[in-house]
Amino acid sequence: MKPRMRQCMILAAAVGFFILYGWGLLGLPGSGRYPGPYGDVLNARAEFERHASDVVSAINFDYRAFDTLGEEFILFTAVMGVVVLLRRQADETSGPERRALPGRSAPPPSDAVRALALGLSAPLVVFGLYIITHGQISPGGGFQGGVILASTPLFLFLCGDYRQFCAITSHELTEAAEAAGAGVFALIGLLGTWAGLAFLQNGLPLGKTGSIASSGTIAVISFATGIEVCAGLVLVLMAYFDRVLVIREGGS
Amino acid sequence: MPLLRALILLLVAAAGGAVALTRNPLHQSLGFSFYGLVLALMFFFYQAPDVALSQIVIGAVLMPLMILLTLAKIASRAEKQEGQQQSGEKS
């Protein structure tokens, strides 16, 4: 009797859900059709008002910069949470490399993987920096460039091992970079208020549309965000690698 | 273009379904990586190249890597407990 009742309940719930879901889907605007006025207004005005040809970046780092500040600190807090959660506890030791069973040691990365990862790492750095610094001109910006930049140490981990990863990534420097990136964003807003503008209002000279030195604070905030996102992701990776490869639980 | 979009949406549905129906977490993480790539393609075809850029790195590389690392940790812990149990039985 009981499983049968459960089945009836889930059936009723599923039917109700799909009726409401279908009703909601029917009310959606068609694919590619945008009903609100704000997107069109900003699309038409952003380039003249802010000298930024990428309107998405102009919205993220200028018109809606306050929301992005919140988002950035969500990321900042999440990274801190991960690092605190995965830290070494009092009863844990940071042991040597995990000893492999005889005949079961992990094979070293193949030459093809090493060549590809090494060859790709330098272009990745350039590409990441390009995406960060050209956020105001073409699609991209701090968040996208930051994650691309953060994947470079990962490529080096792929072609070596954890010790080499540690040798090229300084933990203190990464922490400082993350804090500085998040701080500069807020500081730009505060400097604006000190100069008599609204918080995060674009007060720098706008420059010529289409050049890197355009769009005032958009480019600066995008750069700071890129550094913060990159450093934050590398910190999370380091915490994970530490937890899996170095830290030994107590008692052994 | 609408045909291409319909195709990519079907691919997203198929890949997402496959990930959800996979039982083995190790296989699931690899499938999830492919799903991340397909999702990035979808963002690209819906004219959001900037979202696609971050999706490639986050969805196809970083998330599966974190899942893999977590699985490695769980496996090593289970191995250790097994070893302790065996040595306990011997003594």
Side-chain angles (χ1 to χ4, degrees):
Chain A
M1 193 63 197
K2 228 177 169 191
R4 200 175 163 76
M5 223 169 88
R6 210 183 287 169
Q7 276 175 354
C8 286
M9 275 176 76
I10 197 115
L11 198 71
V15 167
F17 172 76
F18 277 107
I19 288 174
L20 282 176
Y21 191 62
W23 186 35
L25 279 185
L26 285 178
L28 282 180
S31 169
R33 256 179 226 118
Y34 176 69
Y38 302 110
D40 296 328
V41 170
L42 281 177
N43 240 347
R45 297 184 59 110
E47 200 178 330
F48 303 104
E49 281 185 0
R50 300 291 192 262
H51 293 204
S53 44
D54 181 22
V55 181
V56 177
S57 278
I59 294 169
N60 274 345
F61 299 123
D62 190 329
Y63 292 108
R64 285 277 176 197
F66 192 67
D67 299 12
T68 312
L69 185 68
E71 263 169 48
E72 174 151 301
F73 275 91
I74 289 173
L75 183 74
F76 189 79
T77 319
V79 169
M80 262 200 305
V82 169
V83 171
V84 166
L85 202 63
L86 297 180
R87 77 190 184 282
R88 179 145 56 95
Q89 309 281 336
D91 61 337
E92 289 171 339
T93 50
S94 48
E97 295 256 331
R98 194 159 130 215
R99 98 196 134 72
L101 291 173
R104 281 190 63 188
S105 59
S110 72
D111 288 344
V113 170
R114 296 173 76 139
L116 197 66
L118 262 183
L120 273 178
S121 54
L124 257 183
V125 173
V126 177
F127 184 55
L129 285 175
Y130 170 85
I131 293 286
I132 290 178
T133 50
H134 288 67
Q136 70 278 27
I137 303 167
S138 51
F143 286 101
Q144 291 81 5
V147 291
I148 291 170
L149 215 52
S151 61
T152 318
L154 203 62
F155 269 78
L156 290 171
F157 171 74
L158 263 187
C159 61
D161 58 17
Y162 181 64
R163 271 167 303 171
Q164 278 154 324
F165 177 82
C166 282
I168 57 152
T169 23
S170 150
H171 200 280
E172 290 79 23
L173 214 64
T174 321
E175 272 179 2
E178 202 213 357
V184 164
F185 194 152
L187 201 66
I188 288 170
L190 287 176
L191 279 180
T193 53
W194 183 59
L197 301 167
F199 186 63
L200 285 169
Q201 190 181 339
N202 199 337
L204 288 178
L206 289 175
K208 187 167 160 283
T209 310
S211 72
I212 297 186
S214 66
S215 73
T217 53
I218 295 175
V220 186
I221 292 177
S222 173
F223 190 76
T225 309
I227 299 297
E228 199 263 338
V229 169
C230 171
L233 283 178
V234 172
L235 272 184
V236 166
L237 276 181
M238 280 173 137
Y240 264 86
F241 281 138
D242 241 26
R243 168 63 36 192
V244 175
L245 300 171
V246 177
I247 296 176
R248 295 276 157 278
E249 267 131 66
S252 60
Chain B
M1 201 61 174
L3 193 71
L4 212 57
R5 283 183 177 175
L7 208 70
I8 204 82
L9 281 180
L10 281 178
L11 204 59
V12 166
V19 172
L21 290 178
T22 309
R23 302 297 298 179
N24 185 337
L26 188 66
H27 300 169
Q28 207 171 19
S29 71
L30 296 179
F32 188 76
S33 175
F34 176 74
Y35 174 63
L37 269 185
V38 173
L39 217 55
L41 262 183
M42 187 198 84
F43 287 138
F44 184 72
F45 282 117
Y46 275 86
Q47 297 178 6
D50 41 352
V51 187
L53 269 177
S54 18
Q55 172 60 28
I56 288 175
V57 181
I58 298 283
V61 181
L62 286 176
M63 276 284 289
L65 177 83
M66 282 174 195
I67 296 171
L68 274 181
L69 285 172
T70 312
L71 286 178
K73 187 68 192 173
I74 293 171
S76 78
R77 186 180 293 174
E79 228 167 61
K80 199 178 148 195
Q81 277 173 352
E82 220 166 72
Q84 276 175 351
Q85 272 175 3
Q86 276 172 359
S87 64
E89 279 163 15
K90 270 179 201 162
S91 63

